[in-house]
Amino acid sequence: KDTKEKTVWKKYGNYIFGAHTILVIGVCVTLFTIIFNHYFEYHYAWDNTSWSLTLGYAISCFWQDQEGSFLLWIFWNAIVGCVLIFQFQNKSKHSALAAPSLMIVAGIQAFLTSMILGVVFFSSYKIGNTPFLTLQEFNPTAPIWSMNPGFIPKDGNGLNPLLQNYWMVIHPPTLFLGFSLTMVPFAFAIASLWKKEYNNWLSITLPWALLASVVLGTGIIMGGVWAYETLNFGGYWNWDPVE
């Protein structure tokens, strides 16, 4: 009975994580819609995009600011988590580590999600920053609101000129995918310590670790090439180590 009950709860957990993934995709689509349609009444669209940007640069506006970067990271974590759930379905020998590993993944997701909540408690404590603030919500004391409450800018600030490069379109998503892939070995390592399964987790973790290394290495190479193409950076060793 106990085993059957655990199986039911694991199934519920999988369904909830699947629903979470769908909601994350919905949030990403919403932010892309705001950016592509130039809804400049939203601060994120006004601050990062403009009418003059091409499609590729408009896409990269999504992750130019911190909120979009966290959302991109959350998206990749959700995808990796779903793949991990599917992998567990076909590897019963790792069932002892399934629930604790996915619990670690869910905990990471909860922490990252807190970074984009923008919730204020007791008028002074704020958790994260949301990308869905309007201009008026972002700066409610600006004089323009008393003169023109329905003010909407005709154009936005646009993408930072230093970031208007094709590497901006592919470099950040590659890096954040690499970050998300490293989550799997971490989750398994913590779960193995938790359940005292010190050997069984290695066979499933090593391929993930190898893939994470390849993806992160590719992202770093992209960043190195980009540093030499953008004159202000002055080359890889003048920029990335400082960052």
Side-chain angles (χ1 to χ4, degrees):
K1 180 180 178 181
D2 185 52
T3 302
K4 185 177 180 180
E5 185 176 343
K6 286 182 179 179
T7 302
V8 172
W9 278 108
K10 288 178 183 178
K11 186 179 295 186
Y12 285 151
N14 292 345
Y15 289 155
I16 292 172
F17 195 88
H20 160 76
T21 302
I22 294 173
L23 292 174
V24 167
I25 293 173
V27 173
C28 292
V29 170
T30 301
L31 186 56
F32 269 123
T33 301
I34 290 173
I35 292 172
F36 289 155
N37 290 316
H38 302 98
Y39 293 153
F40 294 127
E41 61 266 37
Y42 288 94
H43 179 265
Y44 201 89
W46 171 80
D47 194 38
N48 295 294
T49 188
S50 65
W51 287 105
S52 61
L53 292 177
T54 61
L55 177 61
Y57 293 155
I59 293 174
S60 61
C61 289
F62 183 94
W63 44 78
Q64 177 178 215
D65 276 359
Q66 186 181 64
E67 298 90 337
S69 296
F70 275 122
L71 189 52
L72 177 63
W73 197 350
I74 292 168
F75 167 78
W76 280 131
N77 277 4
I79 299 301
V80 170
C82 287
V83 174
L84 196 59
I85 289 173
F86 178 79
Q87 189 173 13
F88 273 133
Q89 304 299 324
N90 299 287
K91 288 185 178 292
S92 58
K93 66 178 181 179
H94 298 294
S95 58
L97 296 178
S101 296
L102 291 173
M103 183 176 177
I104 300 300
V105 171
I108 294 172
Q109 280 293 77
F111 177 78
L112 288 177
T113 302
S114 71
M115 297 293 101
I116 61 169
L117 288 181
V119 178
V120 179
F121 293 96
F122 307 111
S123 303
S124 56
Y125 298 98
K126 185 178 181 182
I127 300 179
N129 294 304
T130 174
F132 299 108
L133 288 177
T134 62
L135 285 172
Q136 189 169 7
E137 290 172 333
F138 184 83
N139 189 5
T141 60
I144 187 66
W145 307 123
S146 59
M147 297 183 292
N148 186 0
F151 172 73
I152 298 177
K154 294 182 179 180
D155 204 355
N157 288 335
L159 190 67
N160 187 322
L162 292 178
L163 301 179
Q164 292 187 26
N165 186 289
Y166 61 90
W167 288 116
M168 180 61 179
V169 182
I170 57 177
H171 171 61
T174 303
L175 279 183
F176 281 107
L177 174 58
F179 296 158
S180 296
L181 291 171
T182 60
M183 171 181 65
V184 178
F186 172 77
F188 270 98
I190 299 300
S192 68
L193 294 173
W194 181 359
K195 293 296 183 179
K196 295 182 172 56
E197 295 279 348
Y198 302 121
N199 297 315
N200 294 336
W201 63 285
L202 294 175
S203 61
I204 192 173
T205 300
L206 288 178
W208 284 94
L210 178 61
L211 180 60
S213 300
V214 171
V215 173
L216 276 176
T218 302
I220 292 173
I221 291 172
M222 288 180 179
V225 175
W226 184 8
Y228 282 99
E229 290 185 5
T230 304
L231 297 178
N232 298 60
F233 293 174
Y236 178 80
W237 291 111
N238 290 344
W239 178 255
D240 281 13
V242 178
E243 287 293 287

